[in-house]
């Protein structure tokens, strides 16, 4: 066991609720619990819920009926003795219970300390610990499914064959060095190259999948841009299916940025409705326009809204020119329920220019915020444009974590150097150094090796009680 302390924390969110759970982990968890809660009989059954009475220490008067579940080590969340005391969710009682536990010698748990202990005690690896945090923070069921896969160890399983390749090569080359005088051919250069290339190709695929994985974990931001009165707020509301932004027939009145998150295809999509972009008439509006362009640049995706019932304007052209260098762009030709008036020459020119430049062309969708026509298609296009790798495969087949992505890139660097060493037929000692450089980052991902400061960074992002 890593720690002698018995730790305690409220594991349910702050506030009043039907239930609230206090959790203890460590050698003294059971002893502390039975000193505070009266049970009909002792010892407590493990892995079973037992009803007990929690009373005030000084007066001995009952405070709450609680349900206690104890897990004996190593069959628990932390692999230590764990007790979960389920109270009614009154914050005063939960806090008082924790105080009583502290008085009896427990220590207040740090954020993520239960999960940290599970990791340090070898019950889960580091990617699984991170998956627990992602699961708790998931906003959509899709995100939860992806995190649940990783909790089952999908990241480590995915990396394991590559670790094995490296370990095997290292073992053979080390053996070759040890018996160098025997002049045994340990392994053919061709075979070394083939194995390195297979691993490189697969790890490269994982690194590329992060483009989509990041979006799955973090969601993405879509800035809605356009001249005043073209229907940005209305479109924003249609996308959200609720009345959030202020809709008004007067131009230039949506002065502030309004942001709201919706679940689009399992991915949290944050829509930012921007102030109408045009020559600012007054100071307040000028600030609004500046903020608009900052939000536009910071977004993952941009949606230009054009009123299709009006002729194309010079302003639209200027907006197009400003938006296109910023990255992925969608165009909504809104008010499609009205007789069309807009000339599409400019847009067609843009699509053609994209094709000529060999980039995927900007998407144009006809919408009506009034009737809802085209809204579904718009959502589809948003996902297609932002997350082109959606056919990447099963939930466990891509990485979602920046730490993992960076370490895989480090590993790839080692592999590339190793490949070069093999091509140049350098001495095995040199090749071995590169192979270790490729292996080390993979071990850091799973936490097979780790540095304390990295653990601090990871577990600091957990909530207390987890
Ligand atoms: P914004 O200034 O770009 O945010 O535009 P608003 O969303 O405030 O809409 C301006 C006006 O256009 C309002 O009167 C809306 O009801 C109207 N409007 C918005 N979308 C449509 C649409 O698709 N069809 C029609 N006919 N009117 C719309």
């Amino acid at each position: 066991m890593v720690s002698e302390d018995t730790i305690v924390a409220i594991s349910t969110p702050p506030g009043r609720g039907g239930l609230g759970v206090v959790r203890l982990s460590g050698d003294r968890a059971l002893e502390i619990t039975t000193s505070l809660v009266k049970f009909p009989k002792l010892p407590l059954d493990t892995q079973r819920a037992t009803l007990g009475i929690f009373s005030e220490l000084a007066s001995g008067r009952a405070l709450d009926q609680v349900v206690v579940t104890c897990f004996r080590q190593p069959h628990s969340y932390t692999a230590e003795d764990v007790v979960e005391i389920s109270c009614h969710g009154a914050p005063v009682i939960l806090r008082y219970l924790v105080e009583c536990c502290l008085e009896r010698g427990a220590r207040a748990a740090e954020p993520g300390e239960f999960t940290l202990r599970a990791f340090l005690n070898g019950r889960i690896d580091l990617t699984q610990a991170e998956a627990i945090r992602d699961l708790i923070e998931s906003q959509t069921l899709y995100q939860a499914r992806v995190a649940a896969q990783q909790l089952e160890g999908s990241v480590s399983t995915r990396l394991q064959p590559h670790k094995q390749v490296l370990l095997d090569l290292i073992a053979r080359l080390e053996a070759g060095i040890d018996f160098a005088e025997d002049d045994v051919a340990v392994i053919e250069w061709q075979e070394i190259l083939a194995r390195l290339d297979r691993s490189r190709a697969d790890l490269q695929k994982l690194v590329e999948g992060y483009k989509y994985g990041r979006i799955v974990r973090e969601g993405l931001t879509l800035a809605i841009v356009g001249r005043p009165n073209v229907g940005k707020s209305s479109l924003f509301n249609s996308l959200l299916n609720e009345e959030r932004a202020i809709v008004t027939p007067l131009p230039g009145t949506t002065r502030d940025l309004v942001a709201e998150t919706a679940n689009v295809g399992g991915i949290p999509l944050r829509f930012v409705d921007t102030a109408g972009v045009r020559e600012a008439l007054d100071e307040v509006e000028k600030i609004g326009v500046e903020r608009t362009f900052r939000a536009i640049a910071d977004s993952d995706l941009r949606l230009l809204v054009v009123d299709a019932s009006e002729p194309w304007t010079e302003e639209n052209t200027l907006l197009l020119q400003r938006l296109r260098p910023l990255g992925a762009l969608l165009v909504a030709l809104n008010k499609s329920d009205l007789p069309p008036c807009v000339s599409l020459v400019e847009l067609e020119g843009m699509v053609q220019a994209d094709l000529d430049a060999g980039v995927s062309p900007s998407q144009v969708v006809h919408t009506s915020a009034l009737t809802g026509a085209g809204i579904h298609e718009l959502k589809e296009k948003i996902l297609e444009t932002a997350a082109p790798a959606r056919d990447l495969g099963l939930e466990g087949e891509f990485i979602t974590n920046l730490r993992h992505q960076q370490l895989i890139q480090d590993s790839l660097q080692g592999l590339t150097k190793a490949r070069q060493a093999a091509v140049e037929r350098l001495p095995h000692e040199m090749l071995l150094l590169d192979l270790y450089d490729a292996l080390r980052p993979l071990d850091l991902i799973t936490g097979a090796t780790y540095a304390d400061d990295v653990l601090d960074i990871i577990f600091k992002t957990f909530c207390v009680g987890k």
Side-chain angles (χ1 to χ4, degrees), residues 166-456:
L166 290 167
L167 284 170
D168 188 56
L169 281 178
I170 287 171
R172 282 160 178 261
L173 294 177
E174 293 276 17
I177 288 167
D178 289 346
F179 303 107
E181 59 275 19
D182 300 342
D183 206 22
V184 278
V186 253
I187 179 165
E188 294 292 333
W189 286 111
Q190 282 313 321
E191 178 61 21
I192 295 178
L193 276 174
R195 291 189 195 184
L196 291 178
D197 283 344
R198 272 200 298 276
S199 278
R200 263 163 38 115
D202 191 51
L203 290 178
Q204 191 60 45
K205 209 171 103 194
L206 271 183
V207 166
E208 277 156 21
Y210 176 70
K211 275 198 210 102
Y212 175 57
R214 180 188 76 85
I215 289 171
V216 170
R217 179 155 167 270
E218 293 171 14
L220 56 90
T221 313
L222 172 80
I224 305 180
V225 195
R227 295 170 51 236
N229 230 22
V230 292
K232 292 183 299 299
S233 314
S234 314
L235 215 48
F236 175 75
N237 287 329
S238 309
L239 287 166
L240 287 172
N241 296 326
E242 63 175 55
E243 289 290 312
R244 177 68 180 78
I246 313 144
V247 181
T248 144
L250 295 174
T253 40
T254 315
R255 280 177 174 158
D256 250 345
L257 300 179
V258 185
E260 195 81 51
T261 303
N263 173 358
V264 177
I267 292 174
L269 187 62
R270 189 163 169 272
F271 298 110
V272 183
D273 180 15
T274 56
V277 183
R278 59 166 190 173
E279 276 306 303
L281 296 178
D282 59 35
E283 273 309 304
V284 183
E285 212 170 89
K286 215 183 250 166
I287 294 168
V289 173
E290 274 168 27
R291 285 178 62 188
T292 302
F293 275 106
R294 231 176 302 134
I296 292 166
D298 289 346
S299 296
D300 298 296
L301 248 187
R302 284 140 281 271
L303 172 66
L304 172 66
V305 184
V306 173
D307 185 341
S309 70
E310 287 183 339
W312 183 269
T313 66
E314 190 58 24
E315 224 176 327
N316 285 339
T317 306
L318 287 175
L319 276 175
L320 256 187
Q321 283 166 355
R322 258 187 108 160
L323 291 177
R324 286 192 55 219
L326 297 175
L329 175 67
L330 287 162
V331 181
L333 295 174
N334 193 40
K335 308 200 185 181
S336 64
D337 52 292
L338 299 176
C341 189
V342 71
S343 149
L344 299 182
V345 176
E346 298 275 350
L347 285 175
E348 280 158 5
M350 172 186 76
V351 171
Q352 191 54 49
D354 287 342
L355 286 170
D356 293 346
V359 295
S360 45
S362 305
Q363 303 273 354
V364 182
V365 192
H366 294 266
T367 59
S368 167
L370 198 69
T371 66
I375 300 298
H376 179 75
E377 197 194 344
L378 179 59
K379 283 188 181 181
E380 283 293 311
K381 292 265 191 269
I382 289 171
L383 282 182
E384 255 172 51
T385 310
R390 260 155 59 79
D391 56 350
L392 215 60
L394 302 169
E395 280 104 22
E397 286 293 296
F398 49 85
I399 48 165
T400 58
N401 186 312
L402 180 61
R403 190 182 75 86
H404 302 171
Q405 193 248 13
Q406 287 176 335
L407 286 168
I408 293 175
Q409 262 169 342
D410 291 349
S411 177
L412 273 168
Q413 266 179 18
L415 282 171
T416 306
K417 279 193 297 163
R419 183 180 202 286
Q420 195 53 32
V423 168
E424 293 173 19
R425 308 287 192 258
L426 293 183
H428 283 178
E429 284 88 342
M430 312 284 279
L431 178 56
L432 270 168
L433 289 180
D434 298 331
L435 293 176
Y436 279 116
D437 280 350
L439 179 63
R440 215 171 298 115
L442 300 183
D443 279 338
L444 287 171
I445 292 180
T446 57
T449 54
Y450 58 86
D452 286 342
D453 50 347
V454 172
L455 291 190
D456 280 352

Side-chain angles (χ1 to χ4, degrees), residues 6-8 24 28 32 98 100-108:
T6 293
I7 50 171
V8 62
L24 292 124
R28 299 191 52 221
I32 292 171
V98 168
C100 292
C101 292
L102 296 178
E103 205 161 285
R104 291 282 197 264
R107 170 171 69 71

Side-chain angles (χ1 to χ4, degrees), residues 86-101:
S86 187
C87 309
H88 291 104
V92 278
I93 293 182
L94 295 172
R95 275 201 300 270
Y96 179 65
L97 176 53
V98 168
E99 277 166 28
C100 292
C101 292

Side-chain angles (χ1 to χ4, degrees), residues 21-24 67-71 77 82-86:
V21 175
V22 170
R23 176 152 66 171
L24 292 124
V67 173
V68 174
T69 319
C70 72
F71 305 85
Y77 184 72
V82 168
V83 177
E84 289 176 6
I85 307 173
S86 187

